Amino acid sequence: CEFEVALDSGSTDHVASTVDMPGYVVEASPGSKAGQGFIVGSGQRVPNDGQSCLNLQSTDKSGNTMATTFQVAKVSRPLMSVGRLCDAGMDVLFKKERAEVLASDGSVIMSFERQNGGLYIAKLRLKRPSPPFGRQG
């Protein structure tokens, strides 16, 4: 399943709608339990519906994978937070035509292509969700 996500320097969290992550279970998050929400581009407040850990894979030749938690809210497109990526020990390098997410060793984990209008977009593969628990033996 394709997962098209925008890199957002103003977003406080990675955020996606349930529509963008079929098959993934949404669980309560600290924000959803506290009744928090997000202010979207129109200025409207949307509630935090919980969270889900997504398994993402780059569609380029590297095939890099990343498991990361997204907050769930009714947003029009998935957003990855630059701040959250940096908090996780990664660097984000913005260039004229692309932005790159770099591991601590400087290797490129993921690339976002700059689109008309200025958005940096990555087309990733949304891998199957991890099973909630292992098989008993």
Side-chain angles (χ1 to χ4, degrees), residues 69-125:
T69 300
F70 274 72
Q71 297 303 305
V72 178
K74 288 180 179 73
V75 291
S76 59
R77 82 166 61 239
L79 302 172
M80 282 193 101
S81 165
V82 170
R84 286 283 181 230
L85 292 169
C86 293
D87 289 347
M90 296 170 239
D91 291 321
V92 181
L93 177 64
F94 286 90
K95 300 179 180 182
K96 181 179 178 181
E97 295 178 2
R98 82 175 76 256
E100 296 173 337
V101 179
L102 309 172
S104 57
D105 66 2
S107 63
V108 177
I109 298 171
M110 163 182 329
S111 286
F112 291 76
E113 300 295 321
R114 189 163 184 196
Q115 307 291 305
N116 290 337
L119 284 177
Y120 290 85
I121 303 288
K123 292 183 181 178
L124 306 172
R125 189 169 296 117

Side-chain angles (χ1 to χ4, degrees), residues 8-91:
D8 192 341
S9 61
S11 182
T12 57
D13 257 309
H14 303 324
V15 184
S17 172
T18 55
V19 174
D20 297 307
M21 47 187 196
Y24 277 84
V25 174
V26 176
E27 57 190 28
S29 67
S32 67
K33 289 178 186 175
Q36 295 175 339
F38 300 96
I39 305 298
V40 294
S42 66
Q44 185 180 20
R45 183 185 182 281
V46 293
N48 180 329
D49 294 328
Q51 66 186 18
S52 191
C53 185
L54 304 185
N55 298 314
L56 303 172
Q57 182 177 29
S58 173
T59 55
D60 64 16
K61 63 183 181 232
S62 74
N64 290 330
T65 60
M66 173 191 286
T68 190
T69 300
F70 274 72
Q71 297 303 305
V72 178
K74 288 180 179 73
V75 291
S76 59
R77 82 166 61 239
L79 302 172
M80 282 193 101
S81 165
V82 170
R84 286 283 181 230
L85 292 169
C86 293
D87 289 347
M90 296 170 239
D91 291 321

